Amino acid sequence: MIVVTLPFPPSTNNLFINTSRGRIRSSKYDQWATEAGWELMRQRPAKAVGPVSLIFEFQSGKDKRKRDITNLLKAPEDLLVKYGIIEADDNTIVQSISANWSAEVTGVRIAITPMQGNAHGSRT
């Protein structure tokens, strides 16, 4: 199992904005992606090969806002693909996803379990 902890992600509703030139990434998403990317590189997680199961644990009580937990999955899942931690986020790779709130987590903790028991790379 590979476990990473990232900053609390923006909602899917806040990832892109519409402009006269089309949809572009929001500054909030860009800032999160930069910070989360550095945090991911600092942790140096192994890379999963093939199908995986993902468990997301999001920080509960971050603020008083009501949140839709499923809207928090997209940004961290895309980041895992961008940095090669998982090969893709489509149905050929991500076989299952579980998401829950946790008072024991700051940001989001993601457990990545290779379905075939394969993982390679360095881990600290």
Side-chain angles (χ1 to χ4, degrees):
M1 179 183 331
I2 303 159
V3 179
V4 297
T5 302
L6 300 173
F8 196 88
S11 169
T12 299
N13 299 330
N14 297 316
L15 299 183
F16 296 92
I17 57 173
N18 296 317
T19 69
S20 59
R21 296 181 184 164
R23 284 176 65 80
I24 61 170
R25 283 173 57 139
S26 69
S27 61
K28 184 176 185 177
Y29 185 21
D30 281 339
Q31 290 171 342
W32 178 86
T34 298
E35 181 183 354
W38 281 109
E39 182 57 29
L40 192 60
M41 288 189 299
R42 185 190 70 73
Q43 293 175 49
R44 296 174 42 198
K47 296 177 189 258
V49 177
V52 297
S53 172
L54 303 176
I55 300 173
F56 292 83
E57 293 179 277
F58 293 98
Q59 176 182 348
S60 64
K62 181 179 180 326
D63 52 31
K64 300 290 185 197
R65 293 181 55 199
K66 290 184 179 181
R67 297 178 187 275
D68 181 340
I69 198 167
T70 58
N71 280 343
L72 299 174
L73 298 172
K74 178 120 181 88
E77 190 178 35
D78 286 351
L79 192 79
L80 293 175
V81 174
K82 178 180 179 181
Y83 283 86
I85 308 306
I86 61 174
E87 295 176 312
D89 58 1
D90 61 35
N91 64 314
T92 65
I93 299 300
V94 177
Q95 299 296 300
S96 69
I97 294 176
S98 174
N100 58 281
W101 300 106
S102 174
E104 299 174 9
V105 172
T106 299
V108 58
R109 181 169 49 211
I110 308 164
I112 305 152
T113 304
M115 300 297 283
Q116 300 167 344
N118 295 329
H120 72 277
S122 61
R123 185 169 179 193
T124 57

